[in-house]
Amino acid sequence: SCFCSRRRRMTFEPQIPDWGNEYKNYLERLKSYHDWLCKTGINNGLISEKPLQYIWDEFIVHSLYFGKILQNIKNNDKNIYDLGTGGGIPGIPIALTNPNKLFTLVDISESRAFELQRLKNILNLENVEVLNESADAVLTDNNTYISRCFISSKDVLKNIKQLKNVTYIVSSNGENLNENKEKFHVKQEKFTINSTNIRHIDVINVK
């Protein structure tokens, strides 16, 4: 039986500093997405089987930190591409909590794209599009990209070094990238999940 069928000791606390009352406006829809991940996401192979709390913390809360970063950077008024989105991570939680921003969920798997399109309709996400395509096909100048576990920061540097005016926000292990500072600007963000677990997100800009 799925771990997700057991709701013991589950907490939906936001864990995000200064989230405040705004969080309450989105909680029910985030819970609906959580339920979808636990059922459809696992049953159809979009995510591997994990405990309830893990899915909330590592997939949804982690994604919301991406959203916080997006709110504070320039060049994010255009479409934001979630590359290698899998089960919609981090794109869906960010789209739910940022209804005025546009997101394109990109995944090379036809079956994952099909399920994400169904999810878009279930959650009535008018600010989300689903694209069944490879990540390389949508890497172009003047865009903003996000990825959670699809690619490493060092590979991001390799993949976008020929582009201009690009921001790529990617989860990382916090390592020093030794990037070319004439070409890139990198800001490494650090945050906690469940008070003790440290997570890192790199904000990489091509100048």
Side-chain angles (χ1 to χ4, degrees):
S1 63
C2 171
F3 282 121
C4 296
S5 65
R6 301 194 288 273
R7 287 193 172 274
R8 283 175 282 180
R9 296 185 297 278
M10 175 68 204
T11 174
F12 290 104
E13 287 301 311
Q15 308 174 47
I16 296 182
D18 305 319
W19 189 252
N21 290 329
E22 177 190 5
Y23 171 76
K24 297 176 182 176
N25 297 329
Y26 306 117
L27 181 56
E28 290 309 313
R29 296 184 81 197
L30 289 169
K31 284 182 179 178
S32 295
Y33 174 56
H34 182 259
D35 287 342
W36 181 88
L37 283 174
C38 288
K39 297 169 186 172
T40 302
I42 289 174
N43 291 339
N44 292 336
L46 279 81
I47 64 171
S48 58
E49 188 169 318
K50 302 288 185 184
L52 268 175
Q53 192 70 58
Y54 182 97
I55 290 174
W56 179 256
D57 293 343
E58 299 292 346
F59 296 160
I60 296 179
V61 173
H62 194 166
S63 297
L64 294 178
Y65 274 101
F66 277 81
K68 282 292 188 184
I69 293 171
L70 274 171
Q71 289 173 0
N72 295 312
I73 67 169
K74 297 178 181 179
N75 192 38
N76 67 334
D77 55 336
K78 307 183 190 72
N79 202 333
I80 298 161
Y81 293 86
D82 177 4
L83 303 187
T85 186
I89 304 161
I92 293 291
I94 308 173
L96 282 169
T97 51
N98 292 270
N100 295 322
K101 297 185 188 301
L102 301 175
F103 296 86
T104 298
L105 309 181
V106 182
D107 202 283
I108 199 169
S109 164
E110 187 174 349
S111 61
R112 286 195 292 266
F114 174 79
E115 292 297 342
L116 288 170
Q117 185 63 48
R118 292 181 64 189
L119 174 65
K120 163 185 158 69
N121 297 333
I122 290 168
L123 295 178
N124 193 28
L125 283 169
E126 296 181 356
N127 61 330
V128 168
E129 296 297 332
V130 178
L131 182 61
N132 179 205
E133 188 59 89
S134 70
D136 291 342
V138 296
L139 280 173
T140 58
D141 295 343
N142 306 308
N143 277 322
T144 299
Y145 300 95
I146 55 177
S147 292
R148 183 178 171 275
C149 287
F150 170 67
I151 190 171
S152 71
S153 293
K154 287 191 173 181
D155 283 339
V156 167
L157 294 177
K158 294 176 187 175
N159 290 357
I160 66 175
K161 64 183 179 181
Q162 303 300 328
L163 302 179
K164 295 180 180 179
N165 192 30
V166 163
T167 299
Y168 204 130
I169 306 172
V170 57
S171 56
S172 77
N173 59 11
E175 67 178 328
N176 188 336
L177 300 179
N178 297 312
E179 72 278 4
N180 179 345
K181 290 182 171 54
E182 293 183 2
K183 177 70 176 175
F184 300 101
H185 177 268
V186 177
K187 183 178 181 182
Q188 296 187 302
E189 303 275 2
K190 183 170 71 172
F191 60 95
T192 58
I193 288 180
N194 278 333
S195 301
T196 55
N197 297 320
I198 303 296
R199 297 291 179 271
H200 301 268
I201 295 177
D202 292 346
V203 183
I204 301 173
N205 289 284
V206 183
K207 298 179 180 178

